[in-house]
Amino acid sequence: CTVGIDQYSTGRTAAMSITAPELLAVALVASLGPWVWIACRQEPTASAWSAPAVDDESPFARLRGVSTDFQQHLSGGLWWLAILIVLAVLVLHEYVEERPDFFFTVVLSYSMCFLTSCVVLFAAWLRVGKPNDVSPGLLAMFFLSGGCLGVLFALVFEMIEDVAWSRLSPHCNMNVMPTTPECSALSATMWILTPGLIEETGKALWLFFRFRRSVDQLPGRCCLGIFPAGHSYDCGCWYKLAPTPYHVVLCALASGAGFECLENIKYVFMNTNAVQMLGTQHGSDLVTIAEMRALTSGLHMVWTGIIGWGLARRLFLPADQRPSLLCVVLPSVVMHGLYDFSLSALSWVGKSEKLGIVSEEAGTDYALLFFLFLVVSSCGSCCMLAKLTGLRFCGSRSCCCAPGFWEARFPFAKVQSHPPYVGYAVRAREIREPLISS
């Protein structure tokens, strides 16, 4: 991930040699293409989205057997948690080595990059993950997927789109936003299609491609049928099982948390010279930036969690209650884009007033409108996910991620139609075959 961030400027320079329409086409195909592929592929093994409804499954789907080692791998091994901790410590060591004389300041700032997301994720796991056998290793693996793969995906294609927008519309884009109705509408669209679409794709895509509800939906081969995918040492290592809705929602939160934490590190340690300024009159900037990031962390988790909720509905509800892919992905994309747009648009109101683009009275109206967008896209998203996961103020009061929130919302839906995997001995007994044939 660090290498990808360091090469951002190089990639941006290379992108300048390609025409703007070509750049925009590349970025949109990369961010929209996977969703089109997911929507169009109907084979049960193509992705989690194409799994049959829980009331449409064949009884013979239960007869596939897997080894014990593969069962443990599909559930998410605890070694992923160990890998995550080791990687986090190694990155911290690099920053401490850079300024060893400010050890506690660097450690405090680095810890704040993880604080909010990890506390929320741990609390959610205690409330609904642990009682439903969601492995901490599974969450750690999706934390790494959303962090490393998601951030790398976003860095590459956001850079491409940013260059394309700047060249297509040099006087109104994501970096130049004069406060006018036309430019506000255009730049809001750019923000939705760039960080909104690309970052949500980078975080959520792995849930659709890696999850399966049960082993009968695992593909026997991958990469156009070239490689086998039946064990933990071949392409089967890519897949994980989600036998309950809680697995899907919590792993979506973990993917968003991974992205959030790496983005915090990028803003705190890499996008500023705060580390180099330690020991000067601006030495407190590092902790201040980290505190601000900690206070606003969590929204990436919320937006990806909403997509995870939609995927859980697709996997665990009957056919007549399953949502469309557009309804699952679009709300998070729009809310994310509007949030980022609102922050930038607010900063441009004062500049536009000084340049005479807008009057002071009109500037106040614009500021109120952008602030409304900011509140709806942030607080509204949080309230939406909290309500979906059991937050109640009236009657039987409960907090978000309430135990049994899925059964409370869908009391007649089957949470798990059958065990997520069937061992060799079970399979042999069901089909009346010996374990070792003569």
Side-chain angles (χ1 to χ4, degrees), residues 313-388:
R313 290 176 59 203
R314 177 77 178 188
L315 285 171
F316 296 99
L317 291 183
D320 59 345
Q321 299 182 43
R322 303 173 91 191
S324 66
L325 186 60
L326 188 65
C327 292
V328 169
V329 178
L330 188 61
S332 293
V333 170
V334 173
M335 291 297 103
H336 187 164
L338 286 180
Y339 175 80
D340 289 352
F341 160 75
S342 302
L343 287 176
S344 295
L346 281 170
S347 67
W348 269 90
V349 172
K351 298 177 185 178
S352 298
E353 289 178 357
K354 292 179 180 179
L355 293 172
I357 298 174
V358 64
S359 65
E360 185 175 343
E361 182 179 355
T364 302
D365 293 338
Y366 275 112
L368 290 174
L369 177 63
F370 297 148
F371 181 74
L372 178 62
F373 284 160
L374 185 69
V375 171
V376 171
S377 58
S378 56
C379 298
S381 299
C382 293
C383 293
M384 177 181 177
L385 182 63
K387 187 176 187 303
L388 291 174

Side-chain angles (χ1 to χ4, degrees), residues 7 31 40 43 134 225 229 268 276 287 308 365 408 415 418:
Q7 293 178 342
S31 53
C40 293
E43 305 94 308
V134 179
V268 174
Q276 290 74 25
V287 176
D365 293 338
V415 171
H418 54 75

Side-chain angles (χ1 to χ4, degrees), residues 2 9 143 152 183 200 274 283 312 318 320 345 349 351 363-364 391 394 436:
T2 306
S9 298
F143 187 100
L152 187 60
C183 185
E200 292 309 315
D320 59 345
V349 172
K351 298 177 185 178
T364 302
L391 178 65
C394 302
I436 302 177

